[in-house]
Amino acid sequence: MTQINLDELSHLQAINKKLVTGYHISEQDTVMWQELDQQIDAYRALFSALGHDLQHDSRGFYYFASDESTPNMGKISRAIALTIYILIEHYANSGKDPMRALFDEVSDLELMQTLVQMNKHLFDQLEIFSGSDLRKDVYLRMVRLGLSREVETGFMLQAPIYRYIDALMEVNEETYIGEDE
Amino acid sequence: MIPAKKLLNTLTEHWGMLELLFKRFKMADFSLKDVQNAIKQKQPTWSNERIYKETNRLLNQDIIIPLAKSSQLEINRAIADFATFLLQEEHLGLAQEITVLVDDLARLGDRLDNAGSIEDYDEMRRFSRIMDDRVRKIMKLFAHNENAILNIVEQAKANNAVQSLQKRYQAVIEAFDEYIEPMLEMVDIRGSFHACFNTIESQISSQIESIERSGKAYQDKRMLERLRTRILEMHLVGRESLRKSADMLMPLREELRRNNMITRQAAKVLGLVRKNGVDNMLTAVQPNFVSDTQRFSLGQQRHIIAYMAALAEFEHSEYELPDQQDVPSFVTPNIPDYHNVKANFKKRFNSKRKKPQPLLTFLGESYPGLEADEMLFLYQKLVSDSEIEISQSDEKMRVKIAGQHFSLFPFNTKPIDSKPVVSPHTGNE
């Protein structure tokens, strides 16, 4: 039985507010991350009693696991997935180390425009027609989910992106949902 | 021959410049001008004349030597090696270097054993010294290579992301394939290295034993013991160093392999997505997010409209119509026919009209089996019947009919010469 001393969980409110909206708390959110790190048992017990599944990923982030998304959230998630995979391909094509570039390079509006132009028919399916659409529909949402942070010249991706990399490795012909299903 | 102390002094004085040259040109050649520029950079206050003199001093002391058949210069190889050692800028050696030394060690071990068996202690001492030297060399190589690998790892990690991964990790892969793997094979418990050391160790041990037994050349015993310890230590150090090197390189190799895999997979997935559509391909694997705000809040206008539409049709719970058998069956009121009542009434009150008679008393006496509401129904009928002459009393009365109490201004049969007033005033208790 874990003893939970609420007085010690001084950032419970902020952490809860972030996590229930799907936000990923990573090391960049220093204060919250540190508290979660130190009081992980208490938080895990508390949240699981509230029906949430608090997950700690060893690559440095915390989030609530969920088996399903709301339809709207699902669409956002697919848009993010597509953007990440296109980014990886883009970096690899330009001769960079994709994983390093993914986390080290700043995504600016110019890059977004290039991505959308080069993959027009893919982004069309998600109703993203321009670089600024991509910024608004994908990057700003990623910020809200804690997947990226806004910097002076654009956006930097953060560790929770690994969830998409994991998902990438899972894709194969069998995950295809045919029209008849 | 240049005195060592003089050389060391010059080195100390010009170390900054030498380090600069060494780092800038690595092992390549440079011109006299480069040397002078380097001195000037380190000592901006020096005059040109002084710089010229110092350059000559470096040349005279063979710290910098001219290349054959060229005006280019290079750092003296011995000094360069010393500098690499000092700066830990070592380059990875070959696994073969160590192999050759180990083979030599095995050969020397045999010769030492032979010398021991024919009791040629001078020879034994000589071989022991050479072996000692070889062991030191091997240990130095281990340390050197470990440093070199550390450098390789650091460089690979720090290199610009703009470079392709393949290029960046080329050194890592080479180090792994050409040094770590053969070395690991060698120090493997079943490998040649191990067998060789076992042999040497047993040879030396037997020599020590025979010295102890014979009592001859007793001072050589210590030397042999030291050699044995050193060889054992070398083996240990070698294994340790290799393990450390492998630990440093492994993650990078894994990273490279993983990165290649990710790139390939991304290309493959995008291909599938192009063919099958985004939603079909990615829905099954997309990471899901908790989104309580979306789930529990009404964000957009259409949500609110839908919510209000739902409110309009709100039913707290399903409305259930009663079943047939739950309804009590209709019972016709047990009221006697009014005409009979009226006839009865007239018959009774026509004869004696002297005193007003309360209507209710008559009804109560005539029909004791009636319910209160039925009784009142008849009372109402009689009161409003214009054929019957009745009058209302001015005093309020409390009457009890069929178990119910009523207070009312009762109607009575009309006595002679009184006017009828039609306004019944009944009140249930």
Side-chain angles (χ1 to χ4, degrees):
Chain A
M1 179 70 199
T2 320
Q3 287 285 332
I4 301 175
N5 184 357
L6 285 178
D7 292 337
E8 282 171 19
L9 310 183
S10 50
H11 295 93
L12 176 60
Q13 196 183 1
I15 288 172
N16 178 63
K17 200 173 156 192
K18 285 279 188 190
L19 287 178
V20 294
T21 58
Y23 188 83
H24 292 58
I25 295 180
S26 44
E27 288 171 40
Q28 279 80 6
D29 308 299
T30 324
V31 179
M32 285 191 284
W33 196 84
Q34 271 174 356
E35 178 157 315
L36 271 174
D37 208 36
Q38 279 157 16
Q39 310 274 355
I40 181 64
D41 288 337
Y43 272 108
R44 192 167 278 152
L46 187 62
F47 283 131
S48 77
L50 290 169
H52 289 301
D53 181 11
L54 177 63
Q55 288 285 327
H56 173 221
D57 193 298
S58 54
R59 290 165 291 201
F61 53 95
Y62 292 90
Y63 64 100
F64 279 166
S66 167
D67 293 336
E68 51 175 6
S69 293
T70 55
N72 198 21
M73 216 43 153
K75 197 183 151 197
I76 294 170
S77 183
R78 284 195 288 285
I80 296 174
L82 186 70
T83 310
I84 304 291
Y85 304 157
I86 285 176
L87 261 179
I88 293 176
E89 197 184 50
H90 173 77
Y91 285 135
N93 285 346
S94 41
K96 295 175 189 167
D97 168 1
M99 289 306 288
R100 176 179 280 244
L102 201 59
F103 291 105
D104 285 359
E105 300 224 336
V106 175
S107 303
D108 53 12
L109 199 60
E110 200 186 321
L111 175 68
M112 292 176 203
Q113 266 156 3
T114 317
L115 291 183
V116 174
Q117 270 166 22
M118 285 176 27
N119 299 280
K120 192 173 174 312
H121 55 292
L122 289 182
F123 280 116
D124 277 359
Q125 293 177 36
L126 296 162
E127 292 160 31
I128 292 167
F129 303 109
S130 68
S132 57
D133 278 356
L134 187 65
R135 179 177 184 278
K136 188 172 83 235
D137 287 352
V138 176
Y139 277 91
L140 283 176
R141 289 210 162 103
M142 286 205 283
V143 172
R144 244 175 284 157
L145 290 168
L147 306 174
S148 77
R149 64 177 185 277
E150 210 166 348
V151 294
E152 211 175 317
T153 49
F155 297 87
M156 298 277 281
L157 300 185
Q158 299 190 151
I161 290 297
Y162 276 112
R163 287 189 71 192
Y164 284 95
I165 311 283
D166 292 347
L168 173 70
M169 303 317 279
E170 273 176 43
V171 182
N172 49 45
E173 280 87 348
E174 283 140 43
T175 59
Y176 170 66
I177 305 172
E179 310 286 339
D180 49 322
E181 278 180 57
Chain B
M1 169 98 188
I2 306 148
K5 199 147 183 223
K6 201 172 162 193
L7 200 63
L8 281 174
N9 279 338
T10 319
L11 282 180
T12 328
E13 210 173 305
H14 287 287
W15 180 247
M17 187 275 288
L18 282 171
E19 198 180 328
L20 194 75
L21 280 180
F22 184 73
K23 287 208 167 140
R24 186 176 297 167
F25 298 103
K26 298 277 173 195
M27 291 296 170
D29 54 345
F30 44 84
S31 68
L32 194 70
K33 193 89 193 128
D34 291 327
V35 180
Q36 285 172 346
N37 283 342
I39 296 176
K40 189 151 188 125
Q41 196 181 329
K42 286 286 156 192
Q43 309 286 353
T45 53
W46 287 5
S47 67
N48 282 346
E49 201 181 334
R50 172 113 195 248
I51 290 172
Y52 178 75
K53 247 169 73 187
E54 292 297 329
T55 316
N56 268 355
R57 187 169 146 215
L58 287 171
L59 277 165
N60 288 338
Q61 291 183 2
D62 277 354
I63 292 172
I64 293 171
I65 48 175
L67 279 176
K69 291 181 180 171
S70 149
S71 59
Q72 293 292 92
L73 304 168
E74 68 171 358
I75 300 180
N76 185 338
R77 199 69 221 188
I79 306 278
D81 283 348
F82 186 46
T84 55
F85 166 70
L86 289 177
L87 297 171
Q88 304 221 324
E89 286 273 347
E90 282 130 317
H91 294 274
L92 188 59
L94 297 168
Q96 279 86 338
E97 276 181 282
I98 296 177
T99 321
V100 167
L101 285 172
V102 170
D103 287 347
D104 196 37
L105 210 59
R107 186 180 61 85
L108 289 166
D110 281 343
R111 306 217 19 205
L112 182 123
D113 200 39
N114 282 340
S117 61
I118 56 166
E119 301 195 351
D120 185 346
Y121 294 112
D122 279 339
E123 275 295 284
M124 199 169 85
R125 229 170 284 142
R126 192 165 73 86
F127 286 127
S128 160
R129 256 202 313 277
I130 302 174
M131 278 174 85
D132 202 67
D133 182 57
R134 295 282 184 278
V135 172
R136 276 168 206 263
K137 252 192 187 151
I138 294 177
M139 301 241 296
K140 210 176 92 187
L141 276 175
F142 276 134
H144 174 96
N145 287 341
E146 198 183 313
N147 274 332
I149 285 174
L150 193 72
N151 283 336
I152 288 172
V153 170
E154 266 170 14
Q155 241 165 39
K157 278 185 181 163
N159 257 351
N160 201 340
V162 173
Q163 262 185 346
S164 90
L165 201 67
Q166 220 67 9
K167 217 172 194 170
R168 216 148 60 74
Y169 283 176
Q170 210 161 29
V172 172
I173 299 298
E174 263 176 31
F176 210 92
D177 291 349
E178 284 169 26
Y179 177 71
I180 299 284
E181 291 215 314
M183 283 309 288
L184 280 176
E185 226 164 80
M186 208 156 84
V187 297
D188 188 80
I189 201 92
R190 284 172 298 276
S192 55
F193 209 54
H194 198 74
C196 160
F197 286 131
N198 272 347
T199 326
I200 294 175
E201 200 205 320
S202 68
Q203 281 167 348
I204 296 177
S205 293
S206 71
Q207 286 305 321
I208 292 173
E209 236 172 77
S210 74
I211 287 174
E212 269 174 347
R213 248 200 332 271
S214 65
K216 289 179 205 159
Y218 206 76
Q219 68 271 39
D220 293 338
K221 191 187 142 200
R222 259 197 70 75
M223 189 182 71
L224 286 175
E225 274 173 349
R226 215 169 47 228
L227 178 63
R228 192 175 59 175
T229 320
R230 215 189 275 284
I231 287 174
L232 284 177
E233 194 200 346
M234 175 188 77
H235 195 192
L236 210 72
V237 165
R239 285 240 303 268
E240 195 71 1
S241 141
L242 278 173
R243 197 180 54 75
K244 251 166 57 192
S245 311
D247 280 356
M248 282 188 287
L249 286 175
M250 253 333 183
L252 292 188
R253 219 167 79 119
E254 284 295 305
E255 195 187 329
L256 177 65
R257 192 178 292 162
R258 202 175 124 77
N259 273 343
N260 278 341
M261 221 157 68
I262 287 172
T263 315
R264 268 209 313 277
Q265 178 74 7
K268 190 178 120 193
V269 168
L270 285 175
L272 286 171
V273 169
R274 282 189 186 106
K275 214 162 64 190
N276 300 328
V278 175
D279 289 355
N280 289 333
M281 219 46 230
L282 297 180
T283 305
V285 293
Q286 72 189 20
N288 292 311
F289 298 106
V290 173
S291 51
D292 281 3
T293 36
Q294 279 201 6
R295 200 164 286 142
F296 301 131
S297 74
L298 303 161
Q300 293 160 341
Q301 201 184 359
R302 60 189 171 85
H303 289 147
I304 293 174
I305 291 170
Y307 177 67
M308 287 169 66
L311 271 188
E313 289 166 25
F314 178 78
E315 279 176 10
H316 182 63
S317 53
E318 198 88 345
Y319 179 76
E320 273 182 43
L321 287 170
D323 284 340
Q324 194 85 46
Q325 60 260 44
D326 289 345
V327 185
S329 52
F330 179 72
V331 189
T332 34
N334 187 22
I335 301 172
D337 187 42
Y338 175 65
H339 291 287
N340 291 346
V341 177
K342 198 172 152 185
N344 228 344
F345 180 80
K346 280 186 175 165
K347 200 170 87 195
R348 189 157 168 190
F349 290 105
N350 269 348
S351 48
K352 28 181 172 176
R353 272 191 171 183
K354 306 286 180 284
K355 243 172 108 184
Q357 289 287 319
L359 263 170
L360 276 170
T361 319
F362 152 74
L363 284 171
E365 280 168 6
S366 318
Y367 306 99
L370 289 188
E371 293 285 320
D373 51 347
E374 291 161 352
M375 201 85 85
L376 285 173
F377 174 77
L378 287 177
Y379 176 66
Q380 178 67 27
K381 276 267 197 191
L382 286 172
V383 166
S384 45
D385 198 325
S386 52
E387 286 178 32
I388 302 170
E389 292 181 40
I390 43 173
S391 66
Q392 193 170 23
S393 123
D394 295 334
E395 286 170 51
K396 199 171 182 178
M397 262 181 75
R398 268 181 81 82
V399 200
K400 186 187 176 192
I401 27 170
Q404 305 279 336
H405 293 273
F406 298 90
S407 62
L408 68 165
F409 298 92
F411 281 94
N412 302 318
T413 50
K414 195 185 172 187
I416 310 144
D417 297 325
S418 68
K419 289 174 229 162
V421 183
V422 190
S423 81
H425 194 100
T426 56
N428 207 336
E429 70 165 5

